[in-house]
């Protein structure tokens, strides 16, 4: 079984390399910069419908100079995606067990393995995200929609899942409703999470820069923050994505 798992990982990496060098389509779209990475993660969370597969190491960022608001947003996006999905399968390295059993738990099932081959998110077997350095999403990610590569990654996860140890823990309590997003602020939230500049967002929404700025202020007030990163995290926490 271990050989099968290793073979699936090699298959996934081979598929990525092949898709990058053959045909017209690249293997995926590189996304760099905290703002654009945050937008990509929010988009993944919002698009999740029935399944979320991950290789995850929640302690990998320890000791790295990653802004706390980014970590908050990334965590909130993963929780939002997990709460949307009917099936959540998360594979984590054994050394991360205390973290999984503590405050960073997310809904769904989790299994332990000695190591993970790379960090990975697969949503509904249609789109995947892998860190460009295979370690930290903050350093950039590859957003993959090529069906062959996505299926290869899902297969690698499947084989690792079959050899991993089931982790049982008491799930966190359900979230309390936080009210609905005011309709006039929905396009502003979408624009804020898209990673575009305020000037571009205002133009797309047909607003003046002053009106857009005022609407952003209203959104921040509704979310109880003045930080755009924390606004994204709070929107995810409230289920507004």
């Amino acid at each position: 079984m271990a050989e099968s798992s290793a073979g699936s990982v090699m298959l996934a990496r081979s598929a990525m390399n092949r898709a990058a060098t053959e045909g017209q389509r690249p293997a995926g779209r590189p996304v760099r910069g905290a703002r654009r990475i945050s937008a990509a993660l929010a988009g993944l969370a919002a698009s999740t419908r029935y399944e979320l597969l991950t290789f995850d190491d929640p302690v990998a960022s320890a000791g790295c100079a990653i802004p706390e608001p980014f970590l908050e947003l990334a965590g909130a996006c993963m929780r939002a995606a997990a709460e949307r999905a009917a099936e959540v399968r998360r594979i984590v390295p054994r050394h991360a067990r205390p973290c999984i059993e503590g405050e960073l738990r997310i809904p769904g099932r989790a299994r332990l393995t000695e190591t993970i081959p790379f960090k990975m998110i697969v949503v509904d077997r249609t789109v995947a995200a892998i860190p460009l350095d295979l370690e930290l999403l903050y350093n950039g990610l590859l957003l993959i929609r090529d069906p062959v590569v996505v299926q290869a990654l899902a297969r690698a996860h499947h084989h690792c899942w079959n050899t991993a140890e089931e982790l049982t823990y008491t799930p966190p309590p359900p979230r309390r409703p936080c009210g609905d997003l005011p309709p006039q602020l929905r396009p502003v939230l979408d624009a804020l999470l898209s990673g575009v500049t305020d000037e571009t967002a205002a133009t797309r929404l047909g607003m003046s820069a002053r009106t857009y700025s005022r609407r952003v202020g209203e959104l921040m007030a509704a979310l109880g923050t003045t930080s755009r990163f924390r606004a994204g995290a709070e929107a995810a926490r409230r289920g507004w994505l």
Side-chain angles (χ1 to χ4, degrees):
M1 294 293 285
E3 292 181 357
S4 176
S5 177
S8 295
V9 171
M10 291 181 64
L11 173 64
R13 286 175 169 161
S14 175
M16 284 190 288
N17 292 336
R18 190 166 60 248
T21 57
E22 297 179 1
Q24 298 296 316
R25 290 183 302 177
R29 177 172 63 86
V31 179
R32 297 181 175 87
R35 190 171 181 175
R36 294 188 180 278
I37 295 168
S38 299
L41 293 177
L44 287 173
S47 68
T48 304
R49 292 294 178 269
Y50 66 89
E51 185 184 61
L52 178 68
L53 308 176
T54 69
F55 287 132
D56 189 22
D57 184 353
V59 302
S61 58
C64 299
I66 300 178
E68 187 64 28
F70 178 88
L71 295 176
E72 290 179 8
L73 175 58
C77 286
M78 289 309 300
R79 176 173 290 279
E83 289 175 344
R84 284 172 172 267
E87 180 74 15
V88 178
R89 296 188 177 189
R90 187 184 188 195
I91 299 177
V92 299
R94 197 171 300 279
H95 68 255
R97 180 169 189 158
C99 199
I100 299 299
E101 294 177 328
E103 296 180 352
L104 297 183
R105 295 175 300 181
I106 65 171
R109 297 172 65 189
R111 288 189 176 182
L112 300 173
T113 187
E114 291 305 318
T115 61
I116 57 173
F118 41 77
K119 293 194 72 170
M120 178 186 78
I121 303 167
V122 178
V123 171
D124 296 345
R125 306 206 180 196
T126 59
V127 59
I130 295 178
L132 293 175
D133 62 4
L134 303 183
E135 299 292 338
L136 297 174
L137 292 170
Y138 183 73
N139 294 336
L141 60 83
L142 188 68
L143 203 59
I144 304 168
R145 297 187 185 277
D146 186 287
V148 174
V149 178
V150 173
Q151 290 305 312
L153 292 170
R155 182 177 296 184
H157 188 280
H158 173 74
H159 284 293
C160 288
W161 182 263
N162 286 340
T163 61
E165 173 192 346
E166 189 80 24
L167 175 63
T168 58
Y169 59 84
T170 303
R175 296 181 308 179
R176 291 177 295 179
C178 296
D180 296 328
L181 174 66
Q184 73 273 16
L185 297 182
R186 163 56 62 185
V188 178
L189 176 61
D190 292 341
L192 200 67
L193 294 174
S194 70
V196 301
T197 65
D198 286 1
E199 292 78 7
T200 300
T203 300
R204 289 181 180 179
L205 297 178
M207 300 178 182
S208 68
R210 179 175 295 181
T211 299
Y212 180 75
S213 179
R214 185 174 68 251
R215 290 288 174 85
V216 169
E218 293 173 5
L219 177 63
M220 295 292 195
L223 291 168
T225 183
T226 58
S227 163
R228 295 195 178 199
F229 274 112
R230 289 199 169 91
E234 180 63 18
R237 189 187 70 79
R238 297 185 182 200
W240 288 1
L241 295 183

